[in-house]
Amino acid sequence: MSIAILSIHRGGPGEAPRRDVFEVPFEAGQSVLDGLRWVREHTDPGLAMRYACLNANACKECMMRLDGAVIYACTARLEAREMRLDPLPNKPLLRDLVTAIAPPDERPPDAA
């Protein structure tokens, strides 16, 4: 069986960032979001990521960086190699792969 290796940024504001590496069973056609959901279900339920729909590319909740390029995790394809996942640049980090994506005037008063 082939595997995908996800190297994922971990931590939140005020914490030293770290990387955790997970081996995920790989099947052709899977999305990066499928791999992240597998990690949360089978290995680390504390992994913070955001998504609202699957494979629709309409909500934009699952935006993150893959090997430095901004992608939608629901449409980017998982590959049988090491893939580096990071939060969006230039956005306030909430935790792990989650950033504050709403414009400041649309956020609740207590949100980052």
Side-chain angles (χ1 to χ4, degrees):
M1 174 188 288
S2 295
I3 60 166
I5 299 170
L6 300 182
S7 174
I8 301 174
H9 172 276
R10 301 302 297 270
E15 297 176 22
R18 69 182 196 278
R19 299 201 78 74
D20 286 348
V21 177
F22 302 93
E23 292 186 356
V24 176
F26 171 78
E27 293 182 30
Q30 290 176 305
S31 69
V32 170
L33 181 58
D34 292 332
L36 290 168
R37 292 176 64 220
W38 189 93
V39 168
R40 271 215 335 215
E41 183 177 336
H42 294 96
T43 307
D44 187 348
L47 174 63
M49 60 181 190
R50 180 183 283 140
Y51 68 97
C53 59
L54 295 175
N55 301 319
N57 192 18
C59 68
K60 303 191 180 3
E61 292 287 320
C62 65
M63 288 176 69
M64 63 186 64
R65 286 185 297 168
L66 168 61
D67 299 331
V70 175
I71 54 102
Y72 297 106
C74 66
T75 58
R77 293 292 145 221
L78 196 65
E79 298 177 25
R81 63 175 180 89
E82 184 167 339
M83 303 176 84
R84 182 182 173 104
L85 298 170
D86 293 289
L88 289 174
N90 304 319
K91 300 285 183 184
L93 177 65
L94 301 179
R95 195 176 103 219
D96 298 343
L97 298 172
V98 179
T99 56
I101 56 175
D105 60 340
E106 293 180 14
R107 292 184 207 146
D110 59 344

